[in-house]
Amino acid sequence: MPGLVLSDVGSEMMLKAILNNVWPGGGKNLTIKLYTNNYTPLDTSVVGNFTEASGGGYASKTLTNGSWTIGSAALRQGSYAKQVWTFTGALSGNPTVYGYYVIDADGVLVYAQKLSAFYTPIVNGATLGITPIFALSYGTPT
């Protein structure tokens, strides 16, 4: 997949949470959503840049705080259990999923990632799985 993009507003939220213990008013959980507009995330992106999928049995998913697995040693990242969407048919509007975005409990964009291969669910039972990963380091630069 193309690189994960941490938004400016998401990085501010994370710094406040980590350094000042100030969390979004809505709580500590995150939400993962699929988007259907052909958009490449930028660090200046906001929620309004994404068109959330709809129809076809789609629903966003909660990423519960405290349920991430944190890597160790050379792999400094957090990963969440694979999230699988099982569709009941085609999506409404634009039928193609181009990527996903993650928001905080107040609806602020934290990060987003465009899929390397777009996905168009068209039949009942079609599935798409995404393992949310958040990497802060890829190791020591050389």
Side-chain angles (χ1 to χ4, degrees):
M1 269 193 255
L4 179 141
V5 177
L6 177 64
S7 72
D8 291 342
V9 290
S11 60
E12 180 181 352
M13 181 279 297
M14 294 181 103
L15 287 170
K16 287 178 180 177
I18 294 167
L19 302 176
N20 292 335
N21 200 27
V22 175
W23 292 87
K28 295 180 180 180
N29 292 336
L30 300 174
T31 301
I32 185 170
K33 298 174 176 266
L34 302 178
Y35 70 89
T36 60
N37 54 321
N38 190 1
Y39 178 74
T40 301
L42 305 167
D43 60 345
T44 55
S45 296
V46 295
V47 170
N49 294 121
F50 302 92
T51 302
E52 185 177 4
S54 64
Y58 166 79
S60 61
K61 297 181 178 289
T62 299
L63 304 176
T64 305
N65 183 273
S67 297
W68 292 75
T69 299
I70 308 303
S72 59
L75 190 58
R76 302 287 185 218
Q77 70 178 26
S79 60
Y80 200 88
K82 185 178 204 174
Q83 301 299 294
V84 178
W85 286 266
T86 301
F87 299 94
T88 59
L91 296 171
S92 305
N94 186 342
T96 301
V97 175
Y98 286 95
Y100 72 94
Y101 61 106
V102 175
I103 62 170
D104 72 12
D106 289 343
V108 174
L109 178 67
V110 178
Y111 70 92
Q113 188 167 26
K114 192 170 189 177
L115 300 176
S116 55
F118 313 138
Y119 181 74
T120 305
I122 54 174
V123 297
N124 184 22
T127 62
L128 173 64
I130 294 174
T131 301
I133 293 176
F134 191 83
L136 292 178
S137 172
Y138 288 107
T140 305
T142 57

XYZ file of all heavy atoms in Angstrom, residues 85-135:
385
model
N -14.610 -6.137 6.138
C -15.939 -5.711 5.741
C -16.503 -6.787 4.813
O -15.860 -7.164 3.830
C -15.903 -4.374 5.010
C -15.659 -3.206 5.892
C -16.603 -2.403 6.472
C -14.396 -2.680 6.305
N -15.996 -1.429 7.222
C -14.642 -1.574 7.141
C -13.066 -3.041 6.062
C -13.633 -0.829 7.714
C -12.056 -2.311 6.639
C -12.346 -1.208 7.459
N -17.690 -7.266 5.103
C -18.393 -8.205 4.235
C -19.584 -7.460 3.653
O -20.465 -7.008 4.391
C -18.854 -9.449 5.016
O -17.698 -10.075 5.593
C -19.556 -10.435 4.100
N -19.583 -7.300 2.367
C -20.595 -6.493 1.691
C -21.803 -7.336 1.285
O -21.677 -8.531 1.030
C -19.974 -5.808 0.471
C -18.847 -4.885 0.831
C -17.534 -5.329 0.813
C -19.090 -3.578 1.223
C -16.485 -4.485 1.159
C -18.056 -2.729 1.580
C -16.750 -3.185 1.546
N -22.946 -6.681 1.233
C -24.177 -7.350 0.803
C -24.469 -7.078 -0.671
O -25.475 -7.532 -1.195
C -25.373 -6.876 1.650
O -25.507 -5.444 1.512
C -25.178 -7.227 3.114
N -23.612 -6.331 -1.309
C -23.779 -5.974 -2.714
C -22.976 -4.725 -3.012
O -22.098 -4.334 -2.235
N -23.302 -4.084 -4.111
C -22.576 -2.885 -4.535
C -22.810 -1.725 -3.574
O -23.858 -1.625 -2.930
C -23.011 -2.499 -5.937
N -21.816 -0.858 -3.490
C -21.947 0.363 -2.695
C -22.839 1.363 -3.428
O -22.975 1.315 -4.650
C -20.568 0.993 -2.460
C -19.584 0.170 -1.636
C -18.202 0.815 -1.665
C -20.076 0.024 -0.208
N -23.424 2.285 -2.683
C -24.202 3.378 -3.277
C -23.240 4.442 -3.776
O -22.123 4.560 -3.285
C -25.126 3.993 -2.225
O -25.945 3.020 -1.642
N -23.665 5.248 -4.718
C -22.790 6.308 -5.222
C -21.607 5.695 -5.945
O -21.766 4.786 -6.743
N -20.406 6.176 -5.648
C -19.217 5.604 -6.253
C -19.018 4.197 -5.683
O -18.882 4.036 -4.475
C -17.991 6.467 -5.969
C -16.758 5.976 -6.718
O -16.715 4.836 -7.187
N -15.767 6.824 -6.829
N -18.972 3.168 -6.522
C -18.899 1.792 -6.022
C -17.494 1.309 -5.673
O -17.328 0.179 -5.239
C -19.451 0.984 -7.191
C -19.038 1.768 -8.393
C -19.147 3.224 -7.968
N -16.472 2.132 -5.855
C -15.089 1.701 -5.660
C -14.494 2.261 -4.378
O -14.598 3.458 -4.099
C -14.222 2.138 -6.858
O -14.781 1.559 -8.041
C -12.785 1.704 -6.709
N -13.840 1.396 -3.592
C -13.126 1.817 -2.384
C -11.692 2.139 -2.788
O -10.996 1.304 -3.367
C -13.136 0.698 -1.314
C -12.281 1.098 -0.115
C -14.560 0.374 -0.897
N -11.252 3.373 -2.483
C -9.906 3.806 -2.822
C -8.949 3.770 -1.638
O -7.738 3.771 -1.819
C -9.935 5.232 -3.400
C -10.480 5.257 -4.796
C -11.827 5.515 -5.032
C -9.662 4.996 -5.891
C -12.336 5.517 -6.323
C -10.166 4.999 -7.180
C -11.504 5.266 -7.384
O -12.004 5.259 -8.659
N -9.482 3.757 -0.422
C -8.603 3.752 0.740
C -9.402 3.804 2.021
O -10.625 3.600 2.026
N -8.702 4.079 3.098
C -9.355 4.194 4.405
C -8.800 5.389 5.157
O -7.705 5.874 4.856
C -9.172 2.907 5.226
C -7.781 2.680 5.759
C -7.423 3.092 7.041
C -6.811 2.038 4.996
C -6.145 2.883 7.536
C -5.541 1.820 5.485
C -5.217 2.247 6.760
O -3.954 2.046 7.251
N -9.580 5.867 6.096
C -9.126 6.940 6.972
C -9.587 6.648 8.383
O -10.544 5.925 8.603
C -9.581 8.316 6.481
C -11.070 8.556 6.390
C -11.714 9.367 7.319
C -11.835 8.017 5.348
C -13.079 9.625 7.224
C -13.181 8.274 5.245
C -13.807 9.078 6.189
O -15.154 9.327 6.098
N -8.829 7.173 9.334
C -9.080 6.937 10.746
C -9.331 8.281 11.415
O -8.573 9.233 11.216
C -7.887 6.206 11.402
C -8.081 6.068 12.903
C -7.686 4.836 10.757
N -10.425 8.333 12.185
C -10.776 9.565 12.892
C -10.758 9.316 14.398
O -10.884 8.183 14.852
C -12.155 10.103 12.458
C -13.271 9.101 12.779
C -12.140 10.470 10.970
C -14.673 9.649 12.595
N -10.608 10.402 15.151
C -10.684 10.278 16.604
C -12.141 10.356 17.041
O -13.053 10.470 16.211
C -9.787 11.304 17.306
C -10.288 12.744 17.246
O -11.459 12.998 16.866
O -9.505 13.643 17.609
N -12.358 10.301 18.338
C -13.724 10.253 18.872
C -14.495 11.555 18.676
O -15.708 11.582 18.860
C -13.683 9.894 20.357
N -13.802 12.621 18.283
C -14.477 13.890 17.982
C -14.641 14.105 16.481
O -15.032 15.178 16.042
C -13.695 15.064 18.586
C -13.792 15.109 20.098
O -14.691 14.459 20.673
O -12.964 15.796 20.721
N -14.308 13.088 15.678
C -14.480 13.185 14.230
C -13.345 13.877 13.511
O -13.485 14.271 12.356
N -12.182 14.027 14.159
C -11.022 14.681 13.558
C -10.150 13.628 12.870
O -9.893 12.558 13.433
C -10.202 15.430 14.642
C -8.909 15.994 14.071
C -11.039 16.537 15.254
N -9.708 13.929 11.658
C -8.864 13.008 10.912
C -7.540 12.791 11.631
O -6.849 13.747 11.971
C -8.593 13.555 9.505
C -7.680 12.689 8.627
C -8.355 11.370 8.282
C -7.283 13.442 7.374
N -7.171 11.528 11.851
C -5.877 11.199 12.445
C -4.907 10.805 11.334
O -3.854 11.395 11.189
C -5.998 10.076 13.498
C -4.634 9.723 14.072
C -6.961 10.476 14.605
N -5.268 9.795 10.568
C -4.420 9.400 9.447
C -5.258 8.718 8.372
O -6.414 8.375 8.593
C -3.250 8.518 9.889
C -3.581 7.115 10.356
C -3.584 6.050 9.469
C -3.833 6.837 11.691
C -3.847 4.760 9.889
C -4.093 5.551 12.129
C -4.096 4.510 11.213
O -4.356 3.233 11.642
N -4.644 8.559 7.193
C -5.332 7.937 6.066
C -4.319 7.198 5.210
O -3.119 7.475 5.270
C -6.044 9.002 5.237
N -4.829 6.274 4.413
C -3.965 5.547 3.500
C -4.773 5.156 2.271
O -5.887 4.644 2.375
C -3.393 4.303 4.170
C -2.339 3.614 3.351
C -1.567 2.577 4.155
O -2.063 2.025 5.131
N -0.342 2.318 3.745
N -4.176 5.397 1.113
C -4.792 4.986 -0.144
C -4.378 3.548 -0.425
O -3.225 3.171 -0.191
C -4.334 5.907 -1.279
C -5.121 5.754 -2.554
C -4.770 6.864 -3.537
C -5.710 6.839 -4.723
N -5.419 7.945 -5.651
N -5.320 2.733 -0.872
C -5.011 1.343 -1.197
C -4.131 1.271 -2.444
O -4.268 2.090 -3.351
C -6.304 0.559 -1.441
C -7.305 0.487 -0.290
C -8.568 -0.236 -0.738
C -6.692 -0.205 0.917
N -3.253 0.283 -2.503
C -2.416 0.122 -3.691
C -3.228 -0.447 -4.858
O -2.904 -0.220 -6.014
C -1.218 -0.774 -3.396
O -1.649 -2.005 -2.870
N -4.284 -1.177 -4.530
C -5.202 -1.699 -5.551
C -6.620 -1.362 -5.100
O -7.042 -1.759 -4.018
C -5.036 -3.203 -5.705
N -7.324 -0.605 -5.882
C -8.686 -0.205 -5.533
C -9.581 -1.438 -5.491
O -9.281 -2.454 -6.089
C -9.204 0.825 -6.528
C -8.211 1.926 -6.796
C -8.019 2.391 -8.073
C -7.459 2.476 -5.769
C -7.092 3.402 -8.332
C -6.527 3.468 -6.014
C -6.341 3.930 -7.314
N -10.700 -1.324 -4.792
C -11.567 -2.484 -4.603
C -13.015 -2.099 -4.860
O -13.505 -1.100 -4.319
C -11.414 -3.014 -3.170
C -12.251 -4.226 -2.907
C -11.906 -5.459 -3.434
C -13.410 -4.134 -2.150
C -12.690 -6.583 -3.202
C -14.203 -5.248 -1.912
C -13.833 -6.468 -2.443
O -14.605 -7.566 -2.215
N -13.700 -2.902 -5.684
C -15.094 -2.645 -6.008
C -15.935 -3.869 -5.644
O -15.956 -4.848 -6.390
C -15.272 -2.316 -7.507
O -14.412 -1.226 -7.846
C -16.705 -1.935 -7.816
N -16.616 -3.822 -4.482
C -17.478 -4.948 -4.123
C -18.754 -4.899 -4.961
O -19.384 -3.850 -5.069
C -17.785 -4.697 -2.648
C -17.651 -3.218 -2.475
C -16.609 -2.777 -3.462
N -19.112 -6.028 -5.584
C -20.315 -6.008 -6.420
C -21.297 -7.114 -6.074
O -22.445 -7.055 -6.481
C -19.970 -6.065 -7.926
C -19.074 -7.260 -8.227
C -19.313 -4.779 -8.376
C -18.803 -7.482 -9.699
N -20.842 -8.121 -5.319
C -21.737 -9.237 -5.010
C -21.900 -9.417 -3.512
O -21.036 -9.020 -2.725
C -21.217 -10.568 -5.621
C -21.190 -10.488 -7.135
C -19.862 -10.934 -5.081
N -22.992 -10.003 -3.124
C -23.227 -10.337 -1.729
C -22.137 -11.303 -1.269
O -21.845 -12.285 -1.945
C -24.606 -10.978 -1.575
C -24.958 -11.254 -0.132
O -24.420 -10.652 0.786
N -25.875 -12.180 0.075
N -21.496 -10.988 -0.151
C -20.434 -11.831 0.389
C -19.036 -11.385 0.031
O -18.061 -11.959 0.519
N -18.903 -10.368 -0.835
C -17.571 -9.844 -1.158
C -16.952 -9.259 0.112
O -17.650 -8.674 0.938
C -17.674 -8.768 -2.233
N -15.633 -9.443 0.283
C -14.982 -8.955 1.498
C -13.760 -8.113 1.176
O -13.113 -8.293 0.143
C -14.539 -10.116 2.422
O -13.590 -10.920 1.729
C -15.720 -10.959 2.863
N -13.462 -7.215 2.089
C -12.246 -6.401 2.044
C -11.680 -6.387 3.441
O -12.394 -6.077 4.404
C -12.557 -4.973 1.580
C -11.395 -3.976 1.648
C -10.264 -4.394 0.705
C -11.872 -2.569 1.326
N -10.404 -6.743 3.577
C -9.757 -6.745 4.881
C -8.607 -5.760 4.927
O -7.817 -5.671 3.990
N -8.530 -5.020 6.018
C -7.458 -4.047 6.229
C -6.938 -4.231 7.649
O -7.723 -4.266 8.604
C -7.952 -2.600 6.028
C -8.343 -2.380 4.568
C -6.891 -1.592 6.483
C -8.980 -1.031 4.287
N -5.619 -4.330 7.792
C -4.997 -4.365 9.109
C -4.482 -2.958 9.401
O -3.507 -2.515 8.790
C -3.837 -5.375 9.150
O -4.346 -6.671 8.817
C -3.193 -5.409 10.527
N -5.144 -2.232 10.309
C -4.665 -0.896 10.649
C -3.284 -0.969 11.315
O -3.086 -1.724 12.271
C -5.707 -0.370 11.629
C -6.923 -1.205 11.368
C -6.392 -2.554 10.987
N -2.344 -0.240 10.766
C -0.985 -0.170 11.312
C -0.615 1.294 11.431
O -0.923 2.108 10.567
C 0.010 -0.899 10.390
C -0.288 -2.399 10.399
C 1.448 -0.630 10.817
C 0.567 -3.207 9.465
N 0.042 1.603 12.525
C 0.516 2.968 12.722
C 1.983 2.895 13.106
O 2.331 2.410 14.181
C -0.288 3.682 13.817
C -0.003 5.145 13.857
C -0.659 6.000 13.002
C 0.959 5.654 14.706
C -0.372 7.356 12.998
C 1.248 7.000 14.717
C 0.568 7.854 13.858
N 2.858 3.317 12.195
C 4.303 3.242 12.418
C 4.859 4.632 12.691
O 4.586 5.579 11.973
C 4.983 2.645 11.201
